[in-house]
Amino acid sequence: MRVYDPAVMFLGPLLVTMLTACYVRVSTEEQNLERQLQSVQSYAEEKLNTELSELQIFRDKSTGTDTSRSGYRDMMETLEGEDIEHVVVHEISRLARSLQDLERTVSRITDNGTAIHFVRDGLSFGDGKEQPMNRLQMQMLGAFAEWQARVKQMNTKEGIAARQDEDDYHHGRPPLGFEKNDGQLIEGENYGQVCAVLDMVVKGDLSKRKAAQELDSSRKTIDRAIDRGSLYGI
């Protein structure tokens, strides 16, 4: 099994072209990939009769809502240059967070003669077994994922706006992941990472101690940030 690493610029001429590509995406270094990897690998083996040696894994660590990700881009480029028969993804939200990007990606993959499978969603396209309702289901799931992302962004902006008028903000240090600029609260360079880490803590996927280590902070600061959840869309 070959695991794609964006840091490796040259993979060598002796690699054999793989037949099944698996795409996984996480938000931080601490997030566990095992569930996604087990899901896509089991599906490839059991449903597509693919040997582990024939799998090509592409991974991303990203919190963005678009598809400008190195692992994603490399996978799409590989599809056009190698004989990839299948793409396996754990669920739709891992591949795209907007309906437009989702439909564009699925069309690009299937137009290339490659089938794409969403394990958790139970949907496949381009494999000759697509049911009439599959496309509608995909659009509904994609629209829901996009709606969730937009609601989270909207709630975060409203929380920031509300915080601007509070005295404790103007006279104190900016919250975790933020900076001050002429009296205004603005997102810091690590804001996306902070949001992803706090979201994992709230969901029970990451301990506060690990979160503090990931953000080079303290558990007290993590607690304070969670109490101000509206600033981070949680």
Side-chain angles (χ1 to χ4, degrees), residues 13-72:
L14 299 179
L15 290 175
V16 178
T17 300
M18 305 300 177
L19 295 178
T20 298
C22 296
Y23 179 74
V24 294
R25 181 175 67 84
V26 295
S27 300
T28 73
E29 294 287 346
E30 292 290 338
Q31 192 168 356
N32 194 338
L33 272 174
E34 289 305 312
R35 184 169 65 93
Q36 286 187 54
L37 287 172
Q38 183 177 359
S39 170
V40 295
Q41 289 175 8
S42 295
Y43 185 94
E45 288 184 280
E46 298 171 8
K47 302 295 185 180
L48 305 177
N49 298 317
T50 304
E51 299 291 336
L52 284 177
S53 60
E54 297 175 326
L55 291 181
Q56 188 170 356
I57 306 295
F58 298 86
R59 65 177 73 196
D60 272 314
K61 293 181 174 64
S62 171
T63 60
T65 56
D66 60 21
T67 53
S68 58
R69 307 181 293 264
S70 58
Y72 168 86

Side-chain angles (χ1 to χ4, degrees), residues 1-215:
M1 176 180 63
R2 184 180 116 192
V3 178
Y4 168 72
D5 185 347
V8 178
M9 301 302 294
F10 179 65
L11 298 174
L14 299 179
L15 290 175
V16 178
T17 300
M18 305 300 177
L19 295 178
T20 298
C22 296
Y23 179 74
V24 294
R25 181 175 67 84
V26 295
S27 300
T28 73
E29 294 287 346
E30 292 290 338
Q31 192 168 356
N32 194 338
L33 272 174
E34 289 305 312
R35 184 169 65 93
Q36 286 187 54
L37 287 172
Q38 183 177 359
S39 170
V40 295
Q41 289 175 8
S42 295
Y43 185 94
E45 288 184 280
E46 298 171 8
K47 302 295 185 180
L48 305 177
N49 298 317
T50 304
E51 299 291 336
L52 284 177
S53 60
E54 297 175 326
L55 291 181
Q56 188 170 356
I57 306 295
F58 298 86
R59 65 177 73 196
D60 272 314
K61 293 181 174 64
S62 171
T63 60
T65 56
D66 60 21
T67 53
S68 58
R69 307 181 293 264
S70 58
Y72 168 86
R73 293 197 306 269
D74 187 76
M75 180 180 72
M76 300 307 291
E77 291 174 2
T78 301
L79 288 174
E80 298 176 354
E82 298 185 23
D83 186 17
I84 303 295
E85 295 182 350
H86 303 277
V87 171
V88 182
V89 186
H90 176 59
E91 61 181 345
I92 282 175
S93 65
R94 296 298 88 196
L95 184 67
R97 296 293 296 276
S98 78
L99 181 58
Q100 183 180 23
D101 284 334
L102 175 63
E103 292 186 320
R104 182 188 302 116
T105 297
V106 170
S107 294
R108 185 176 170 187
I109 291 173
T110 55
D111 288 349
N112 190 66
T114 302
I116 182 167
H117 310 267
F118 297 103
V119 180
R120 185 176 181 181
D121 304 307
L123 297 175
S124 295
F125 302 92
D127 63 349
K129 301 178 182 178
E130 181 179 338
Q131 299 298 313
M133 289 294 292
N134 283 14
R135 185 70 56 170
L136 177 60
Q137 287 179 280
M138 182 192 73
Q139 292 172 340
M140 291 174 63
L141 289 169
F144 183 67
E146 181 176 4
W147 173 79
Q148 285 184 310
R150 288 182 176 178
V151 167
K152 187 172 183 177
Q153 291 172 348
M154 180 181 67
N155 290 341
T156 299
K157 290 179 181 178
E158 290 177 351
I160 293 174
R163 186 65 62 179
Q164 300 281 14
D165 298 327
E166 295 188 9
D167 289 338
D168 64 342
Y169 160 66
H170 286 291
H171 299 289
R173 296 178 59 184
L176 183 65
F178 288 90
E179 300 173 357
K180 287 184 179 180
N181 183 16
D182 293 331
Q184 294 295 309
L185 189 66
I186 62 173
E187 298 175 4
E189 293 182 358
N190 69 334
Y191 176 74
Q193 180 189 20
V194 171
C195 290
V197 169
L198 294 179
D199 185 59
M200 292 173 62
V201 173
V202 171
K203 292 179 178 178
D205 295 331
L206 190 68
S207 69
K208 292 179 181 179
R209 180 178 63 83
K210 288 280 190 179
Q213 292 176 350
E214 176 75 19
L215 299 175

